[in-house]
Amino acid sequence: MYRSHNCGELRASHTNTEITLAGWVQGVRDKGFMVYVDLRDRYGITQLYFDEEQTDKKVLETAQKLGREFVIQVKGKVQERASKNPNIPTGDIEVLVSDLTILNKAKLPPFTIEDKTDGGEDIRMKYRYLDIRRNPVKNSLIFRHKVTQEVRNYLSNASFIEVETPYLIKSTPEGARDFVVPSRMNEGQFYALPQSPQTFKQLLMVGGMDKYFQIVKCFRDEDLRADRQPEFTQIDCEMAFIEQEDILNTFEGLTRHLLKEINGVEVDKFPRMLYDDAMRLYGNDKPDIRFGMQFGELNQVAQHKDFGVFNNAELVVGIAVPGGNSYTRKEIDKLISWVKRPQVGALGMVYCRYNDDGSFKSSVDKFYDQDDLAKWAEVTGAKPGDLICVLSGDTNKVRAQLSALRMELAERLGLRKPNEFAPLWVIDFPLLEWDEDTERYHAMHHPFTSPKPGQIELLKTDPGAVKANAYDLVLNGNEIGGGSIRIHDKETQALMFDYLGFTEDEAKAQFGFLMDAFQYGAPPHGGLAFGLDRLVAILGGQETIRDYIAFPKNNAGRDVMIDAPAPIDDEQLTELSLKLNLKS
């Protein structure tokens, strides 16, 4: 065998034990008459000791030639270290080596394989297999494994059945572009990679599976950012014979279980917030409620003077920044520049200082007196020592802009503490949203989401007012899961397709199999899907997901390690009946 023990398990109790270890050379310290080698594997580091008085001469000479990341095997005896290292679990011992075998030499790595490395992100992505040897990445992957195991244990104990669904399916409209796969055996036809297993899990409910889950890859061809990847993993779940309350209780339980088992945190409350209230108070549908700074809508107290910027705005809205009156004018100017960046898009920002003596000083004192500004403070909940930041414009745009500012300020103020967890259910989303480009309604979630009970008739008169029987689970300002109660009868589903602009033939071509299935006794059902990558990152105290994915892609959707995507040769194109029409 290559090893009797791993590099993280030897302790003082193993002293005088003959052992065999194997791993990578972390570092070599050659003193001439003695050599120290740090040997590393997944479990830790063990110090190896070579001494000219106790070690065979050839073994010592071989040790002196070792380089970083050489793969070696050693045999020797565990002994107590003269100079102990309290920073590592094996720091009380070392191994006096009697036999050394080089299993594989290694080139000098392009960056140091240490917790704090000198390698930038691009080079570490290119050599990801080396980056995984570093503790931060290694521990993130181990952490992901622990979360995944807890999910499987919890759901299995709750009588859920894990069922695999196909990866090669047909294209379905779910809000993003599909990745498509040409079929060699069916000339001119294509599979699509699933954006989610939505229709299959509904068919499993028709099939009587009752409680289903799957930890599954999903694929969306969309623009990327730090918390998105073209392929990602969902904890996909569905239940039959349930109502919304059953879903919420079940997955509150799962989330509570993960927080306790993974983070040692007890969370009792999972507050619920209407979508409309989330947008009004926080400007987005996934508010971080670990801190305040709720929006105060100022139209009634700010549009009565001769300030055209406010008078011409659809919405005037502000937040009170705790302790913000301490900001210098230069710091406030930087905030104004921040909101005017293209990524945020505000035209400017009005501010008002709430002084400790109860007086106010604003950037629009020309138009507003002390009584006016006191009303601003009342509406935004400002206190002496705070700063009131006000934006104005079109309702949807200004809410998004102020939401971005709120999150930026919270980050600067240290209010987004990674070891604090604040879950929240956001419920009663709109069923449909209007698309200006296509000039028609689209499903906010997907076409299979059920309207709230009693609202189906509203589709005929006021479709934008219909609420969906849908819900999102938010944790620390991130959507970690979302789902809905599904439509389970053919007539309602056909009506929904009609309102979404599908012709009868289009609906039959894309979803005829599902409509047919509904004719054979589909039970009431609903479900939820967690984004596993994001969930793991948040539980791990991070907001970006890359370090929790073994081989992630960059912001251009490329795997720079294997250089994918890549062209295919002409022979393959011919075999697949494809012809490229590339833009010059």
Side-chain angles (χ1 to χ4, degrees):
M1 60 183 174
Y2 278 105
R3 56 188 180 184
S4 60
H5 298 77
N6 65 54
C7 293
E9 68 177 297
L10 296 176
R11 302 290 187 271
S13 59
H14 294 95
T15 301
N16 295 323
T17 302
E18 295 285 344
I19 57 87
T20 303
L21 297 178
W24 289 265
V25 173
Q26 175 83 14
V28 180
R29 300 182 298 283
D30 187 353
K31 306 294 185 181
F33 59 93
M34 66 178 66
V35 177
Y36 294 97
V37 174
D38 290 332
L39 187 67
R40 181 191 71 239
D41 64 9
R42 171 160 78 90
Y43 305 95
I45 291 177
T46 297
Q47 179 171 285
L48 310 180
Y49 177 62
F50 304 79
D51 184 313
E52 66 179 6
E53 294 183 358
Q54 303 176 78
T55 305
D56 180 85
K57 183 178 180 181
K58 288 187 177 180
V59 172
L60 180 60
E61 289 175 350
T62 303
Q64 291 172 323
K65 297 176 183 176
L66 293 176
R68 282 167 44 197
E69 303 307 314
F70 276 37
V71 184
I72 65 173
Q73 180 191 47
V74 298
K75 296 180 181 180
K77 182 181 291 188
V78 180
Q79 63 182 26
E80 186 177 357
R81 283 174 64 163
S83 178
K84 295 180 172 56
N85 182 355
N87 297 318
I88 59 175
T90 60
D92 289 346
I93 59 92
E94 62 190 7
V95 175
L96 177 62
V97 177
S98 57
D99 186 62
L100 166 62
T101 303
I102 296 177
L103 300 174
N104 216 331
K105 294 181 180 181
K107 289 175 62 177
L108 186 67
F111 55 88
T112 56
I113 299 177
E114 304 277 356
D115 289 4
K116 292 185 177 180
T117 181
D118 57 358
E121 185 174 0
D122 290 343
I123 194 74
R124 289 187 291 109
M125 290 274 281
K126 182 175 177 63
Y127 296 94
R128 183 65 167 180
Y129 46 85
L130 296 180
D131 202 27
I132 290 173
R133 295 180 190 173
R134 296 174 52 245
N135 283 327
V137 182
K138 175 198 74 177
N139 291 337
S140 292
L141 296 181
I142 294 171
F143 184 82
R144 180 188 178 108
H145 162 75
K146 291 178 179 177
V147 173
T148 304
Q149 289 301 104
E150 288 297 337
V151 168
R152 279 199 163 95
N153 292 340
Y154 182 90
L155 292 175
S156 297
N157 289 335
S159 300
F160 282 79
I161 303 299
E162 187 169 6
V163 182
E164 293 183 33
T165 54
Y167 278 163
L168 296 176
I169 64 169
K170 67 190 299 185
S171 184
T172 58
E174 292 208 38
R177 289 178 293 272
D178 288 320
F179 285 101
V180 295
V181 181
S183 171
R184 179 183 57 81
M185 293 182 290
N186 299 274
E187 187 174 324
Q189 296 186 345
F190 295 81
Y191 299 105
L193 299 179
Q195 296 186 35
S196 79
Q198 181 61 48
T199 52
F200 288 101
K201 65 182 180 181
Q202 291 191 252
L203 291 172
L204 286 169
M205 296 303 102
V206 177
M209 290 308 293
D210 184 48
K211 289 183 174 182
Y212 140 93
F213 85 98
Q214 182 181 190
I215 298 177
V216 58
K217 282 287 185 190
C218 301
F219 308 86
R220 291 179 186 172
D221 185 6
E222 58 187 351
D223 294 335
L224 305 179
R225 57 177 187 251
D227 61 343
R228 284 186 179 173
Q229 288 278 298
E231 52 182 321
F232 57 96
T233 306
Q234 284 187 348
I235 308 166
D236 196 54
C237 307
E238 197 81 0
M239 302 169 68
F241 301 111
I242 46 80
E243 296 177 337
Q244 177 176 293
E245 195 67 23
D246 301 302
I247 298 281
L248 270 54
N249 288 335
T250 297
F251 295 105
E252 274 184 26
L254 173 57
T255 308
R256 191 178 283 113
H257 173 80
L258 292 175
L259 287 168
K260 181 178 180 181
E261 295 301 319
I262 301 298
N263 298 89
V265 173
E266 298 270 3
V267 177
D268 294 326
K269 295 182 179 179
F270 281 69
R272 300 178 187 183
M273 184 180 296
L274 298 176
Y275 169 87
D276 289 344
D277 289 339
M279 297 303 294
R280 178 175 57 84
L281 295 173
Y282 298 97
N284 69 70
D285 58 6
K286 48 182 184 298
D288 190 336
I289 59 171
R290 285 175 293 180
F291 56 93
M293 289 195 282
Q294 289 187 354
F295 291 10
E297 297 189 353
L298 299 168
N299 290 46
Q300 291 188 358
V301 296
Q303 289 185 323
H304 63 294
K305 295 295 179 76
D306 296 328
F307 188 48
V309 173
F310 284 176
N311 291 343
N312 297 325
E314 189 176 9
L315 176 65
V316 183
V317 62
I319 54 174
V321 183
N325 193 28
S326 64
Y327 288 2
T328 65
R329 176 58 189 269
K330 186 176 181 180
E331 288 174 319
I332 294 175
D333 286 343
K334 286 183 178 179
L335 276 182
I336 295 172
S337 297
W338 191 90
V339 300
K340 291 169 73 173
R341 297 179 314 147
Q343 300 94 315
V344 180
L347 296 177
M349 183 184 85
V350 170
Y351 67 89
C352 175
R353 296 180 181 276
Y354 194 165
N355 298 317
D356 290 336
D357 63 5
S359 65
F360 300 92
K361 179 64 179 174
S362 81
S363 57
V364 286
D365 280 347
K366 179 180 177 181
F367 302 98
Y368 298 94
D369 59 28
Q370 293 289 297
D371 289 340
D372 294 324
L373 300 176
K375 293 176 182 176
W376 293 17
E378 182 181 353
V379 172
T380 59
K383 296 178 173 59
D386 291 352
L387 179 74
I388 303 171
C389 297
V390 182
L391 300 181
S392 61
D394 294 341
T395 297
N396 292 338
K397 289 182 179 179
V398 79
R399 281 176 172 170
Q401 292 160 1
L402 191 60
S403 175
L405 177 61
R406 175 180 179 268
M407 296 297 277
E408 175 67 16
L409 287 165
E411 196 71 45
R412 296 184 185 188
L413 293 168
L415 300 176
R416 304 193 70 205
K417 299 176 182 177
N419 58 345
E420 292 182 5
F421 297 94
L424 170 73
W425 286 108
V426 178
I427 60 175
D428 289 9
F429 284 77
L431 182 69
L432 307 172
E433 56 185 345
W434 181 257
D435 187 285
E436 295 289 348
D437 295 332
T438 60
E439 295 187 342
R440 65 184 181 90
Y441 282 104
H442 291 262
M444 179 169 269
H445 286 80
H446 52 65
F448 317 108
T449 297
S450 174
K452 294 289 285 187
Q455 295 200 6
I456 191 73
E457 291 301 316
L458 264 179
L459 282 172
K460 300 175 182 177
T461 58
D462 191 3
V466 180
K467 298 299 183 184
N469 213 341
Y471 33 81
D472 279 356
L473 181 56
V474 177
L475 185 61
N476 295 0
N478 291 271
E479 177 198 333
I480 61 168
S484 66
I485 302 300
R486 322 302 186 190
I487 297 169
H488 67 277
D489 64 279
K490 182 179 179 180
E491 290 74 20
T492 304
Q493 188 64 73
L495 183 63
M496 179 61 68
F497 286 146
D498 182 48
Y499 281 111
L500 291 174
F502 288 84
T503 66
E504 186 174 343
D505 289 342
E506 287 172 338
K508 186 174 183 179
Q510 284 199 314
F511 303 110
F513 63 94
L514 185 64
M515 305 287 275
D516 288 345
F518 283 175
Q519 298 180 98
Y520 292 95
H525 61 282
L528 179 142
F530 285 90
L532 177 64
D533 311 293
R534 192 173 302 171
L535 173 63
V536 170
I538 295 169
L539 294 177
Q542 304 293 325
E543 296 226 356
T544 54
I545 64 177
R546 279 187 187 162
D547 278 352
Y548 294 90
I549 298 173
F551 299 103
K553 293 175 173 57
N554 67 12
N555 282 345
R558 293 197 65 82
D559 186 325
V560 295
M561 184 184 66
I562 64 172
D563 194 23
I568 60 175
D569 59 36
D570 290 340
E571 184 177 342
Q572 283 181 289
L573 289 171
T574 301
E575 190 175 41
L576 294 169
S577 303
L578 294 177
K579 184 177 181 180
L580 299 181
N581 182 21
L582 300 176
K583 296 179 182 178
S584 57

